[in-house]
Amino acid sequence: MTSKKIKILHLFYLVGGVGTSIELIAKNTDPNQFEHIIVNGADPAQIPLKNTDFTTYHVNLNREIRPFKDFQLAFQLIKICQKVKPDLIHAHSAKGGIIGKIAAFFVKKPCLHTPQAYSYLSAQKKPKRRLYLLIEKALKLLPHKILASSRSEAKRAINDLKYPENRVITFPNAINPIQDVKELSLKKTWPDNYICTVGRPSYQKNIELMIEVMYQLKKERPDIHLIIMGVGSYSPNTRSVEDKINKYQLQENVTMLEWTSRDDILHIISHAQLYLSTARYEGLPYAVIEALALSKALVLSDVDGNKDLIDEDKNGFLIFAENTELFKQRILELLIYKEKRSSFEKHSYFLFNKYFNIGHTIKDLETIYKTESL
Protein backbone atom coordinates (compact mmCIF):
# COMPACT_ATOMS: atom_id res chain seq x y z
CA MET A 1 0.00 0.00 0.00
CA THR A 2 1.42 3.38 -1.06
CA SER A 3 1.41 6.04 1.67
CA LYS A 4 -0.11 9.44 0.91
CA LYS A 5 2.34 12.10 -0.23
CA ILE A 6 2.63 15.29 1.82
CA LYS A 7 1.56 18.25 -0.31
CA ILE A 8 3.66 21.39 0.16
CA LEU A 9 2.36 24.59 -1.42
CA HIS A 10 5.14 27.13 -2.02
CA LEU A 11 4.27 30.82 -2.44
CA PHE A 12 6.97 33.24 -3.47
CA TYR A 13 7.92 36.31 -5.46
CA LEU A 14 10.66 35.11 -7.76
CA VAL A 15 13.70 37.32 -7.29
CA GLY A 16 17.24 36.00 -7.11
CA GLY A 17 17.88 33.40 -4.44
CA VAL A 18 14.22 32.83 -3.58
CA GLY A 19 13.59 31.06 -6.87
CA THR A 20 16.79 29.08 -6.42
CA SER A 21 15.60 27.97 -2.98
CA ILE A 22 12.29 26.64 -4.30
CA GLU A 23 13.97 24.77 -7.11
CA LEU A 24 16.53 23.13 -4.82
CA ILE A 25 13.90 22.09 -2.28
CA ALA A 26 11.47 20.72 -4.88
CA LYS A 27 14.12 18.76 -6.75
CA ASN A 28 15.94 17.32 -3.73
CA THR A 29 13.13 16.18 -1.45
CA ASP A 30 11.99 12.57 -1.84
CA PRO A 31 9.40 12.51 -4.68
CA ASN A 32 7.83 9.42 -3.16
CA GLN A 33 7.03 11.32 0.03
CA PHE A 34 6.44 14.92 -1.06
CA GLU A 35 4.45 16.70 -3.74
CA HIS A 36 5.26 20.36 -4.44
CA ILE A 37 2.77 22.92 -5.75
CA ILE A 38 4.42 26.15 -6.91
CA VAL A 39 2.55 29.48 -6.71
CA ASN A 40 4.76 32.05 -8.40
CA GLY A 41 4.19 35.76 -7.81
CA ALA A 42 6.30 37.00 -10.72
CA ASP A 43 6.38 36.59 -14.48
CA PRO A 44 5.48 32.96 -15.37
CA ALA A 45 8.33 32.95 -17.88
CA GLN A 46 10.78 33.33 -15.01
CA ILE A 47 9.74 30.12 -13.24
CA PRO A 48 12.95 28.05 -13.02
CA LEU A 49 11.15 24.74 -12.58
CA LYS A 50 10.65 23.16 -15.97
CA ASN A 51 9.83 19.71 -14.58
CA THR A 52 6.19 18.92 -15.41
CA ASP A 53 5.94 16.94 -12.16
CA PHE A 54 5.46 20.26 -10.33
CA THR A 55 2.05 21.88 -10.59
CA THR A 56 2.46 25.64 -10.99
CA TYR A 57 0.12 28.62 -10.61
CA HIS A 58 0.68 32.31 -11.18
CA VAL A 59 -0.56 35.30 -9.17
CA ASN A 60 0.39 38.98 -9.59
CA LEU A 61 2.41 39.49 -6.43
CA ASN A 62 3.92 42.97 -6.05
CA ARG A 63 6.95 43.82 -3.92
CA GLU A 64 5.30 46.85 -2.29
CA ILE A 65 2.64 46.75 0.43
CA ARG A 66 -0.77 47.37 -1.18
CA PRO A 67 -3.49 46.39 1.33
CA PHE A 68 -6.45 46.06 -1.08
CA LYS A 69 -4.51 44.13 -3.74
CA ASP A 70 -2.78 42.04 -1.07
CA PHE A 71 -6.12 40.84 0.30
CA GLN A 72 -7.21 40.05 -3.25
CA LEU A 73 -4.07 37.97 -3.64
CA ALA A 74 -4.74 36.22 -0.34
CA PHE A 75 -8.22 35.36 -1.64
CA GLN A 76 -6.65 33.97 -4.86
CA LEU A 77 -4.32 31.82 -2.77
CA ILE A 78 -7.22 30.64 -0.62
CA LYS A 79 -9.01 29.44 -3.77
CA ILE A 80 -5.88 27.63 -4.95
CA CYS A 81 -5.56 25.98 -1.54
CA GLN A 82 -9.20 24.87 -1.66
CA LYS A 83 -8.48 23.28 -5.03
CA VAL A 84 -5.17 21.52 -4.35
CA LYS A 85 -5.69 20.89 -0.58
CA PRO A 86 -2.07 21.24 0.60
CA ASP A 87 -0.95 19.77 3.90
CA LEU A 88 1.34 22.73 4.54
CA ILE A 89 2.00 26.20 3.10
CA HIS A 90 5.64 27.24 2.79
CA ALA A 91 5.74 30.99 2.15
CA HIS A 92 9.00 32.43 0.87
CA SER A 93 10.23 36.04 0.87
CA ALA A 94 8.77 38.97 2.79
CA LYS A 95 5.74 39.54 0.58
CA GLY A 96 5.09 35.83 0.14
CA GLY A 97 5.04 35.59 3.93
CA ILE A 98 2.31 38.22 4.27
CA ILE A 99 -0.02 36.57 1.76
CA GLY A 100 0.81 33.03 2.85
CA LYS A 101 0.12 33.68 6.54
CA ILE A 102 -3.25 35.29 5.81
CA ALA A 103 -4.34 32.50 3.47
CA ALA A 104 -3.12 29.77 5.84
CA PHE A 105 -5.21 31.29 8.64
CA PHE A 106 -8.41 31.11 6.57
CA VAL A 107 -7.87 27.61 5.18
CA LYS A 108 -6.65 26.38 8.58
CA LYS A 109 -3.38 24.93 7.28
CA PRO A 110 0.01 25.06 9.00
CA CYS A 111 2.34 27.69 7.55
CA LEU A 112 6.11 28.06 7.50
CA HIS A 113 7.62 31.41 6.53
CA THR A 114 11.15 31.72 5.17
CA PRO A 115 11.88 35.48 4.92
CA GLN A 116 15.17 35.23 3.00
CA ALA A 117 15.98 38.62 4.64
CA TYR A 118 13.19 40.56 6.37
CA SER A 119 11.51 43.36 4.41
CA TYR A 120 12.23 46.07 6.99
CA LEU A 121 15.96 45.60 6.40
CA SER A 122 15.46 46.86 2.84
CA ALA A 123 13.84 50.13 3.92
CA GLN A 124 16.19 53.08 3.42
CA LYS A 125 14.04 55.53 5.41
CA LYS A 126 13.14 55.07 9.07
CA PRO A 127 9.33 55.60 8.71
CA LYS A 128 9.13 52.87 6.08
CA ARG A 129 11.35 50.61 8.16
CA ARG A 130 9.07 51.10 11.18
CA LEU A 131 5.98 50.38 9.05
CA TYR A 132 7.42 47.11 7.70
CA LEU A 133 8.54 46.08 11.17
CA LEU A 134 5.05 46.83 12.54
CA ILE A 135 3.46 44.68 9.80
CA GLU A 136 5.80 41.77 10.58
CA LYS A 137 4.98 42.04 14.29
CA ALA A 138 1.23 42.21 13.60
CA LEU A 139 1.39 39.09 11.41
CA LYS A 140 3.09 37.27 14.27
CA LEU A 141 -0.39 36.97 15.79
CA LEU A 142 -1.42 34.57 13.01
CA PRO A 143 -0.57 30.90 13.61
CA HIS A 144 2.65 30.03 11.76
CA LYS A 145 6.34 29.34 12.34
CA ILE A 146 9.47 30.96 10.98
CA LEU A 147 11.69 28.62 8.97
CA ALA A 148 14.81 30.78 8.89
CA SER A 149 17.34 30.44 6.08
CA SER A 150 20.25 31.07 8.48
CA ARG A 151 21.08 31.20 12.16
CA SER A 152 21.37 34.97 12.02
CA GLU A 153 17.92 35.26 10.42
CA ALA A 154 16.51 33.07 13.21
CA LYS A 155 18.12 35.34 15.83
CA ARG A 156 16.59 38.38 14.17
CA ALA A 157 13.11 36.80 14.33
CA ILE A 158 13.59 36.17 18.05
CA ASN A 159 15.34 39.44 18.97
CA ASP A 160 13.66 42.00 16.70
CA LEU A 161 10.22 40.49 16.19
CA LYS A 162 10.04 38.76 19.59
CA TYR A 163 9.03 35.34 18.27
CA PRO A 164 9.19 32.70 20.99
CA GLU A 165 12.02 30.27 20.32
CA ASN A 166 9.61 27.35 19.87
CA ARG A 167 8.15 29.12 16.82
CA VAL A 168 11.50 29.56 15.06
CA ILE A 169 13.18 26.71 13.14
CA THR A 170 16.39 26.97 11.12
CA PHE A 171 17.08 25.22 7.86
CA PRO A 172 20.10 26.90 6.22
CA ASN A 173 20.05 27.45 2.48
CA ALA A 174 22.07 24.74 0.78
CA ILE A 175 23.02 23.65 -2.75
CA ASN A 176 24.11 20.56 -4.61
CA PRO A 177 27.88 20.06 -4.95
CA ILE A 178 29.29 21.68 -8.08
CA GLN A 179 30.70 18.70 -9.95
CA ASP A 180 31.58 20.26 -13.26
CA VAL A 181 32.60 23.82 -14.14
CA LYS A 182 31.94 24.40 -17.83
CA GLU A 183 33.98 26.48 -20.21
CA LEU A 184 33.12 30.16 -20.53
CA SER A 185 30.48 30.76 -23.21
CA LEU A 186 30.92 34.53 -23.45
CA LYS A 187 33.90 36.54 -24.65
CA LYS A 188 36.51 37.11 -21.91
CA THR A 189 37.32 40.82 -21.70
CA TRP A 190 39.05 40.89 -18.32
CA PRO A 191 42.54 39.93 -17.08
CA ASP A 192 43.42 36.49 -15.70
CA ASN A 193 43.82 37.80 -12.15
CA TYR A 194 40.64 39.25 -10.67
CA ILE A 195 38.27 39.26 -7.71
CA CYS A 196 34.53 38.86 -8.16
CA THR A 197 31.05 39.29 -6.75
CA VAL A 198 27.48 38.39 -7.69
CA GLY A 199 24.82 40.96 -6.90
CA ARG A 200 22.57 43.38 -8.75
CA PRO A 201 23.35 47.06 -8.08
CA SER A 202 20.81 47.81 -5.35
CA TYR A 203 20.50 49.18 -1.83
CA GLN A 204 20.86 45.65 -0.43
CA LYS A 205 24.05 44.70 -2.28
CA ASN A 206 25.71 48.11 -1.70
CA ILE A 207 27.92 47.88 -4.79
CA GLU A 208 28.78 51.57 -4.38
CA LEU A 209 30.83 50.62 -1.31
CA MET A 210 32.60 47.98 -3.37
CA ILE A 211 33.62 50.65 -5.88
CA GLU A 212 34.96 52.77 -3.01
CA VAL A 213 37.03 49.76 -1.92
CA MET A 214 38.31 49.32 -5.46
CA TYR A 215 39.36 52.98 -5.54
CA GLN A 216 41.46 52.43 -2.40
CA LEU A 217 42.87 49.15 -3.71
CA LYS A 218 43.97 50.70 -7.00
CA LYS A 219 46.22 53.15 -5.15
CA GLU A 220 48.37 50.21 -4.00
CA ARG A 221 47.63 47.70 -6.73
CA PRO A 222 46.96 49.45 -10.06
CA ASP A 223 46.21 46.16 -11.85
CA ILE A 224 43.39 45.16 -9.46
CA HIS A 225 40.27 44.01 -11.31
CA LEU A 226 36.70 43.33 -10.15
CA ILE A 227 33.99 41.43 -12.03
CA ILE A 228 30.41 42.23 -10.97
CA MET A 229 27.88 39.62 -12.08
CA GLY A 230 24.10 39.77 -11.78
CA VAL A 231 23.47 43.21 -13.30
CA GLY A 232 19.98 42.71 -14.69
CA SER A 233 16.57 44.28 -15.31
CA TYR A 234 15.97 44.84 -11.58
CA SER A 235 19.18 46.72 -10.79
CA PRO A 236 17.99 50.13 -9.58
CA ASN A 237 21.43 51.44 -8.61
CA THR A 238 23.24 50.68 -11.86
CA ARG A 239 23.60 54.35 -12.83
CA SER A 240 24.91 55.24 -9.37
CA VAL A 241 27.55 52.50 -9.62
CA GLU A 242 28.55 53.55 -13.13
CA ASP A 243 28.89 57.15 -11.99
CA LYS A 244 31.28 56.10 -9.23
CA ILE A 245 33.33 53.99 -11.63
CA ASN A 246 33.68 57.03 -13.91
CA LYS A 247 34.38 59.40 -11.02
CA TYR A 248 37.29 57.26 -9.78
CA GLN A 249 38.47 56.39 -13.31
CA LEU A 250 38.03 52.65 -12.72
CA GLN A 251 36.76 51.80 -16.19
CA GLU A 252 39.76 49.50 -16.77
CA ASN A 253 39.45 47.94 -13.30
CA VAL A 254 35.79 46.94 -13.18
CA THR A 255 33.76 44.67 -15.48
CA MET A 256 29.97 44.71 -15.10
CA LEU A 257 28.25 41.76 -16.76
CA GLU A 258 24.65 42.61 -17.67
CA TRP A 259 23.49 39.04 -18.24
CA THR A 260 25.38 35.89 -17.37
CA SER A 261 24.31 32.25 -17.38
CA ARG A 262 24.77 30.26 -14.19
CA ASP A 263 27.45 28.16 -15.91
CA ASP A 264 29.39 31.31 -16.74
CA ILE A 265 28.94 32.64 -13.20
CA LEU A 266 30.37 29.42 -11.76
CA HIS A 267 33.27 29.53 -14.22
CA ILE A 268 34.11 33.12 -13.27
CA ILE A 269 33.88 32.43 -9.52
CA SER A 270 36.01 29.29 -9.86
CA HIS A 271 38.85 31.24 -11.50
CA ALA A 272 38.68 34.27 -9.18
CA GLN A 273 41.34 35.00 -6.58
CA LEU A 274 38.65 35.59 -3.95
CA TYR A 275 34.97 36.39 -3.51
CA LEU A 276 33.78 39.78 -2.19
CA SER A 277 30.48 41.00 -0.73
CA THR A 278 29.62 44.43 0.68
CA ALA A 279 25.89 43.71 1.21
CA ARG A 280 23.92 45.60 3.84
CA TYR A 281 21.85 42.50 4.68
CA GLU A 282 21.22 38.95 3.44
CA GLY A 283 19.15 35.85 4.20
CA LEU A 284 21.84 33.29 3.39
CA PRO A 285 23.24 34.20 -0.05
CA TYR A 286 23.41 31.39 -2.59
CA ALA A 287 26.20 33.08 -4.53
CA VAL A 288 28.44 32.97 -1.46
CA ILE A 289 27.50 29.34 -0.81
CA GLU A 290 28.55 28.63 -4.41
CA ALA A 291 31.85 30.38 -3.68
CA LEU A 292 32.30 28.04 -0.71
CA ALA A 293 31.52 25.03 -2.90
CA LEU A 294 34.13 26.27 -5.38
CA SER A 295 36.75 26.62 -2.62
CA LYS A 296 37.07 30.40 -2.57
CA ALA A 297 38.44 32.63 0.17
CA LEU A 298 35.88 35.24 1.24
CA VAL A 299 35.87 38.89 2.29
CA LEU A 300 32.33 39.77 3.35
CA SER A 301 30.43 42.51 5.17
CA ASP A 302 29.54 41.54 8.74
CA VAL A 303 25.77 41.25 8.28
CA ASP A 304 23.02 38.63 8.63
CA GLY A 305 23.58 35.71 6.29
CA ASN A 306 27.18 36.57 5.45
CA LYS A 307 28.31 35.96 9.03
CA ASP A 308 26.93 32.39 8.88
CA LEU A 309 29.33 31.55 6.05
CA ILE A 310 32.59 32.76 7.59
CA ASP A 311 34.82 30.98 10.07
CA GLU A 312 36.83 34.09 10.94
CA ASP A 313 40.45 34.02 9.83
CA LYS A 314 40.01 30.43 8.62
CA ASN A 315 38.10 30.76 5.36
CA GLY A 316 37.70 34.51 5.16
CA PHE A 317 37.11 37.81 6.91
CA LEU A 318 34.06 39.75 8.09
CA ILE A 319 34.24 43.54 7.80
CA PHE A 320 32.08 45.63 10.13
CA ALA A 321 30.47 49.03 9.47
CA GLU A 322 31.44 49.69 5.86
CA ASN A 323 35.11 50.03 6.75
CA THR A 324 36.72 50.59 3.33
CA GLU A 325 40.24 50.63 4.78
CA LEU A 326 39.80 47.23 6.42
CA PHE A 327 38.17 45.80 3.29
CA LYS A 328 41.25 46.95 1.36
CA GLN A 329 43.70 45.51 3.91
CA ARG A 330 42.01 42.10 4.04
CA ILE A 331 41.78 41.79 0.26
CA LEU A 332 45.44 42.71 -0.13
CA GLU A 333 46.39 40.24 2.60
CA LEU A 334 44.79 37.38 0.68
CA LEU A 335 46.21 38.49 -2.65
CA ILE A 336 49.75 38.80 -1.30
CA TYR A 337 49.92 35.75 0.98
CA LYS A 338 49.03 32.91 -1.36
CA GLU A 339 49.60 30.14 1.20
CA LYS A 340 47.09 31.75 3.53
CA ARG A 341 44.62 32.09 0.68
CA SER A 342 45.11 28.43 -0.19
CA SER A 343 44.41 27.43 3.41
CA PHE A 344 41.24 29.55 3.40
CA GLU A 345 40.12 27.93 0.17
CA LYS A 346 40.40 24.44 1.63
CA HIS A 347 38.46 25.45 4.73
CA SER A 348 35.71 27.03 2.61
CA TYR A 349 35.10 23.71 0.90
CA PHE A 350 35.13 21.92 4.26
CA LEU A 351 32.42 24.29 5.58
CA PHE A 352 30.33 23.85 2.44
CA ASN A 353 30.42 20.08 2.60
CA LYS A 354 29.61 20.00 6.31
CA TYR A 355 26.83 22.58 6.52
CA PHE A 356 25.58 23.68 3.10
CA ASN A 357 25.55 20.54 0.95
CA ILE A 358 21.85 19.89 0.36
CA GLY A 359 22.54 16.21 -0.19
CA HIS A 360 23.54 16.06 3.48
CA THR A 361 20.90 18.45 4.88
CA ILE A 362 17.68 17.77 2.93
CA LYS A 363 16.61 15.04 5.39
CA ASP A 364 16.39 17.76 8.06
CA LEU A 365 13.92 19.70 5.95
CA GLU A 366 11.91 16.58 5.18
CA THR A 367 11.63 15.95 8.92
CA ILE A 368 10.45 19.54 9.45
CA TYR A 369 7.81 19.19 6.74
CA LYS A 370 6.57 15.91 8.21
CA THR A 371 6.42 17.29 11.75
CA GLU A 372 4.75 20.60 10.88
CA SER A 373 2.16 19.08 8.53
CA LEU A 374 0.72 16.76 11.18
Side-chain angles (χ1 to χ4, degrees), residues 54-71:
F54 304 118
T55 303
T56 59
Y57 294 87
H58 176 248
V59 294
N60 292 312
L61 189 63
N62 299 299
R63 291 173 63 88
E64 297 299 318
I65 303 296
R66 298 177 181 176
F68 180 72
K69 286 190 175 182
D70 290 347
F71 275 103

Side-chain angles (χ1 to χ4, degrees), residues 244-270:
K244 274 191 177 290
I245 290 171
N246 293 330
K247 175 184 175 182
Y248 294 133
Q249 298 183 337
L250 293 170
Q251 295 91 336
E252 299 300 315
N253 300 89
V254 179
T255 297
M256 295 176 67
L257 296 178
E258 292 189 3
W259 183 88
T260 320
S261 70
R262 184 171 183 271
D263 286 338
D264 285 340
I265 288 173
L266 296 179
H267 178 99
I268 292 168
I269 294 174
S270 70

